[in-house]
Amino acid sequence: MSEESSSPNADQPFVRGFSFKHCVALITGASSGLGAEFARQLAPQADTLLLAARTKETMETLAAELSQEHPHLKLVICPCDLSTDAGRETFWQNVAQLPTKPNLLINNAGLGDYGLFADASGDRIRRQIDLNITALTLLARSFLDHISPTPQRPAAILNVSSLAGAVPVPDLAVYAATKSYVTSLTESLAIELASRHIQVAAVCPGPTPTNFGNNARRPGEKDIDRGGQDVLKIPPHRVVEAALQTLRDGRPIVYPGKRVTLAATVFRIMPRSLMRFILAARFQRGQSK
Ligand SMILES: NC(=O)c1ccc[n+]([C@@H]2O[C@H](COP(=O)([O-])OP(=O)(O)OC[C@H]3O[C@@H](n4cnc5c(N)ncnc54)[C@H](OP(=O)(O)O)[C@@H]3O)[C@@H](O)[C@H]2O)c1
């Protein structure tokens, strides 16, 4: 999964590897889970963090904690619904007010929906596509208009994808498909944007204890038995450490944790027919419980 170092243009060599020192970072989904952890881990090195999500109060609490620990840090809180055009407009208006142009976008906000596709509400399907695909893509595109990357101050986009993007997941079908899109988009953009001094990477976590599970559960439904997933679990701080390290190393994709990496490798090399057989057996077992 490592890239060879390359020099797309001899006059403007691509600076491989991103440094977080003095970065101006935009973090979506910063009110909880991985987004809040990205803010905590970037705070010691960053100049400015812009935190975006819908819940203002939790971001205020996080910002108060970070300003106390890191008095040098400039913090901007941007309450907005990123799944809407109006919310993204608010986001970019806040970015335009920053004293220095951003050089890092952490495209982290996302949500899932556990359960059968046939029982899913159109609203929950749409909300996943609007946030996980439309918002992430349009934010990445607009980011390019708000940065001035140079070899000395490169820029980076980190997309939060998922191990679920590497394999079809019955019971989480739309979510897995959205994350497959995120991983594919990331790999294309990593190639397209490299010569412009913009690094693009995706982190593809396995199951991580955050609010994700509660938010993905349908109202009134019990948790689905996801037997076997516990072995893949790693804590949010390790996911974020691996994600930031991948940008430092200039690599486009990381599956945090040895077991998650192994699972992703198995999914990649396993014959598709065998994968479908295993997934169908697992699905039937789940249905009969
Ligand atoms: N946890 C896992 O097992 C896991 C595994 C693989 C990948 N991921 C991915 O990791 C990312 C972060 O999720 P998490 O695990 O940290 O879950 P989380 O704790 O539920 O955090 C999701 C974040 O997204 C924000 N968000 C949701 N809808 C939004 C909207 N319409 N506009 C703006 N912000 C919105 C939430 O804030 P508000 O509700 O305040 O808006 C929250 O800050 C997601 O992309 C998820 O798909 C998670």
Side-chain angles (χ1 to χ4, degrees), residues 9-277:
N9 177 336
D11 297 319
Q12 287 194 302
F14 169 57
V15 179
R16 188 168 173 271
F18 187 80
S19 163
F20 299 103
K21 205 151 194 261
H22 302 305
C23 71
V24 175
L26 316 176
I27 306 175
T28 73
S31 65
S32 82
L34 294 175
E37 186 58 30
F38 274 112
R40 288 197 182 91
Q41 292 196 24
L42 287 173
Q45 296 209 60
D47 263 3
T48 306
L49 298 180
L50 182 142
L51 312 177
R54 291 166 304 176
T55 317
K56 190 177 174 196
E57 297 71 29
T58 43
M59 290 191 290
E60 280 175 344
T61 308
L62 175 63
E65 169 199 321
L66 296 178
S67 344
Q68 200 164 24
E69 289 169 14
H70 309 283
H72 75 279
L73 184 65
K74 291 186 257 327
L75 281 149
V76 177
I77 289 169
C78 176
C80 57
D81 182 345
L82 291 166
S83 65
T84 66
D85 286 338
R88 290 189 291 273
E89 178 108 25
T90 303
F91 179 83
W92 292 116
Q93 279 164 2
N94 276 262
V95 174
Q97 308 288 319
L98 296 176
T100 313
K101 283 191 179 191
N103 68 337
L104 174 62
L105 170 65
I106 310 235
N107 237 335
N108 163 75
L111 81 160
D113 180 37
Y114 290 141
L116 296 178
F117 180 72
D119 299 335
S121 75
D123 181 52
R124 279 179 79 91
I125 292 174
R126 190 184 308 107
R127 281 199 286 136
Q128 287 174 92
I129 295 171
D130 286 351
L131 186 63
N132 302 3
I133 293 183
T134 308
L136 176 134
T137 309
L138 294 180
L139 288 173
R141 175 62 191 87
S142 297
F143 180 67
L144 303 182
D145 297 334
H146 287 80
I147 56 177
S148 303
T150 62
Q152 293 70 36
R153 189 176 186 263
I157 300 173
L158 179 68
N159 292 327
V160 180
S161 186
S162 172
L163 177 62
V167 63
V169 188
D171 270 338
L172 196 57
V174 173
Y175 174 77
T178 66
K179 292 302 185 176
S180 190
Y181 170 95
V182 173
T183 306
S184 168
L185 179 76
T186 302
E187 292 199 89
S188 298
L189 298 188
I191 294 166
E192 269 195 39
L193 297 175
S195 59
R196 297 179 182 220
H197 318 295
I198 305 166
Q199 211 170 305
V200 186
V203 57
C204 306
T208 310
T210 62
N211 287 337
F212 178 85
N214 281 336
N215 292 333
R217 197 168 306 131
R218 292 176 186 170
E221 298 244 332
K222 286 194 288 222
D223 203 1
I224 288 173
D225 178 11
R226 301 195 166 267
Q229 286 206 350
D230 278 355
V231 292
L232 298 175
K233 230 178 231 175
I234 66 166
H237 75 267
R238 284 194 43 215
V239 170
V240 169
E241 278 163 18
L244 297 182
Q245 191 58 45
T246 228
L247 278 183
R248 273 190 209 98
D249 295 345
R251 286 180 292 120
I253 302 284
V254 63
Y255 291 89
K258 287 197 178 94
R259 289 172 180 165
V260 174
T261 306
L262 178 66
T265 307
V266 170
F267 295 153
R268 199 172 48 246
I269 61 179
M270 186 187 281
R272 215 58 186 177
S273 54
L274 175 60
M275 181 191 285
R276 281 195 295 270
F277 175 80

